Amino acid sequence: MKMAAPVASKAGAAGSTSKPPFPELDFRSGARVEELNKLIQEFTKHDQREYDDQRALEIHTAKDFIFSMLGMVQKLDQKLPVANEYLLLSGGVREGVVDIDLDELNVYARGTDYDMDFTLLVPALKLHDRNQPVTLDMRHSALCHSWLSLRLFDEGTISKWKDCCTIVDHINGATNYFFSPTKVADWFYDSISIVLSEIQKKPQRGMPKVEKVEKNGTIISIILGVGSSRMLYDIVPVVSFKGWPAVAQSWLMENHFWDGKITEEEVISGFYLVPACSYKGKKDNEWRLSFARSEVQLKKCISSSLMQAYQACKAIIIKLLSRPKAISPYHLRSMMLWACDRLPASYLAQEDYAAHFLLGLIDDLQHCLVNKMCPNYFIPQCNMLEHLSEETVMLHARKLSSVRSDPAEHLRTAIEHVKAANRLTLELQRRGSTTSIPSPQSDGGDINQPDDRLAKKLQQLVTENPGKSISVFINPDDVTRPHFRIDDKFF
């Protein structure tokens, strides 16, 4: 005799209490997504520092000192443009704010060596009077790289800079001067050293203490002590162009996540050559294309939850993949931009999806390593991992596999590192000066109202406009009055 299975009555079903939904888990690691989200939020809380008026004034004092120093460098031999336009980026070169190899850089750690870090792109040459697209001489270089002939410039420019060039004589008797990134960096470091030596002979009250000046490859790193703060400035000599390079022209034809959010004119307003060469390139001649100005604009279109995941992932991989230095945070930034193109904007805008984004970035990075393929976002035909050996990529892929197996533990480690750095900073502040810091232009008296307003303005620049394009226009004859531009607004 067949027996029917018991069926709950509708009344019983309606009155029964259903079990709470099972917590969302990460299939690979078994980690609770909710816990990962909380850990990312905790990391963000400790990683993002709030600056009071005192710290803002210290930031202003350090910036003012750097710009005054650069004005004096310009006066040494008139090599730098008189009216120059710098790009100030929050975060040092080691944080991946520009595409420069980290192999030749000394290791600096926040908390131990500095409290805040910035990258300053300083044009040695400007080519701002040409219609786009800009065609570069890439016959001798790998993709994303170029030599730069001074034939593009006038005789006066050639005369000023020919001692920083490599010389190539042609069969027809003509001489071609190629702008040398290594020689420019050597000149820049020597000039900065001369200026700092002169400044320190006549110290002024409130002037920052130069704690360290080092040439790291083609970058000049300066650590300044201002009151209770230590500021790291990575100063990068660059060549600045208006317009867009021909080699990246096809990228503009594709659909992108920023379409309709910002204008194409904002994205393609200019690019740089930075002093970095390809794996097999000639260091004395080869420059690397940099789209730092464009990346500043694109960051406006990235959701806060994705940026939080990116910062947390970056903190993990900087420690984990530091040896050998095959992977840099810039590779991770490129993968994030590709993800923005690949995934729906509505998905990336979810505020509680930071854990999913973190796991996805780790997966993307591991995929790039296993396949030894990481396309440059602006020039996709350029594979930034092409030069790596199979042994190196597999070593890093295995390290990432350990992260993917236990992301919560690696997040906790990243949180402890950033908390330890913050404790070191606070300890230094307690030991250091507790009085207000007069700016170098003051006579050491009370901080006047204009300085206070400028400090608050700088606080807006650095802390309330993360990732925005901050340009500074300097007149070497009056470095006390810099003019700021954030994106297209002047201050």
Short mmCIF file of all heavy atoms in Angstrom, two decimals, residues 456 459-466 468:
data_model
loop_
_atom_site.label_atom_id
_atom_site.label_comp_id
_atom_site.label_asym_id
_atom_site.label_seq_id
_atom_site.Cartn_x
_atom_site.Cartn_y
_atom_site.Cartn_z
N LYS A 456 43.74 75.78 4.84
CA LYS A 456 42.44 75.13 4.64
C LYS A 456 42.22 74.80 3.16
O LYS A 456 41.66 73.77 2.81
CB LYS A 456 41.32 76.03 5.16
CG LYS A 456 41.33 76.15 6.68
CD LYS A 456 40.22 77.07 7.16
CE LYS A 456 40.25 77.17 8.68
NZ LYS A 456 39.21 78.09 9.19
N GLN A 459 44.16 71.78 2.41
CA GLN A 459 43.49 70.61 2.97
C GLN A 459 42.43 70.11 1.99
O GLN A 459 42.24 68.91 1.83
CB GLN A 459 42.86 70.98 4.31
CG GLN A 459 42.33 69.79 5.09
CD GLN A 459 41.87 70.17 6.48
OE1 GLN A 459 41.52 71.32 6.72
NE2 GLN A 459 41.86 69.23 7.39
N GLN A 460 41.74 71.05 1.34
CA GLN A 460 40.77 70.66 0.33
C GLN A 460 41.46 69.96 -0.84
O GLN A 460 40.98 68.95 -1.34
CB GLN A 460 39.99 71.87 -0.18
CG GLN A 460 39.05 72.48 0.84
CD GLN A 460 38.35 73.72 0.30
OE1 GLN A 460 38.86 74.37 -0.62
NE2 GLN A 460 37.22 74.06 0.87
N LEU A 461 42.60 70.54 -1.26
CA LEU A 461 43.31 69.97 -2.40
C LEU A 461 43.73 68.53 -2.16
O LEU A 461 43.54 67.65 -3.00
CB LEU A 461 44.57 70.79 -2.72
CG LEU A 461 44.41 72.25 -3.14
CD1 LEU A 461 45.74 72.81 -3.54
CD2 LEU A 461 43.43 72.37 -4.28
N VAL A 462 44.32 68.28 -1.00
CA VAL A 462 44.96 66.99 -0.75
C VAL A 462 44.01 65.96 -0.17
O VAL A 462 44.05 64.80 -0.54
CB VAL A 462 46.19 67.16 0.17
CG1 VAL A 462 46.84 65.83 0.46
CG2 VAL A 462 47.20 68.10 -0.46
N THR A 463 43.14 66.39 0.74
CA THR A 463 42.32 65.41 1.44
C THR A 463 40.91 65.30 0.92
O THR A 463 40.30 64.24 1.02
CB THR A 463 42.27 65.74 2.95
OG1 THR A 463 41.61 67.00 3.14
CG2 THR A 463 43.65 65.78 3.54
N GLU A 464 40.36 66.36 0.34
CA GLU A 464 38.98 66.31 -0.12
C GLU A 464 38.87 66.09 -1.62
O GLU A 464 37.77 65.94 -2.14
CB GLU A 464 38.26 67.61 0.26
CG GLU A 464 38.15 67.81 1.78
CD GLU A 464 37.44 69.10 2.13
OE1 GLU A 464 36.87 69.72 1.21
OE2 GLU A 464 37.45 69.47 3.31
N ASN A 465 40.01 66.08 -2.31
CA ASN A 465 39.99 65.84 -3.75
C ASN A 465 40.94 64.72 -4.13
O ASN A 465 41.83 64.89 -4.96
CB ASN A 465 40.39 67.12 -4.50
CG ASN A 465 39.40 68.24 -4.28
OD1 ASN A 465 38.32 68.24 -4.84
ND2 ASN A 465 39.78 69.20 -3.44
N PRO A 466 40.80 63.55 -3.49
CA PRO A 466 41.73 62.46 -3.81
C PRO A 466 41.62 62.06 -5.26
O PRO A 466 40.52 61.91 -5.79
CB PRO A 466 41.30 61.33 -2.86
CG PRO A 466 39.87 61.63 -2.56
CD PRO A 466 39.74 63.12 -2.56
N LYS A 468 42.27 63.73 -7.95
CA LYS A 468 42.00 64.75 -8.96
C LYS A 468 43.30 65.33 -9.50
O LYS A 468 44.35 65.26 -8.87
CB LYS A 468 41.12 65.86 -8.36
CG LYS A 468 39.70 65.38 -8.08
CD LYS A 468 38.76 66.54 -7.84
CE LYS A 468 37.34 66.04 -7.68
NZ LYS A 468 36.38 67.14 -7.47
#
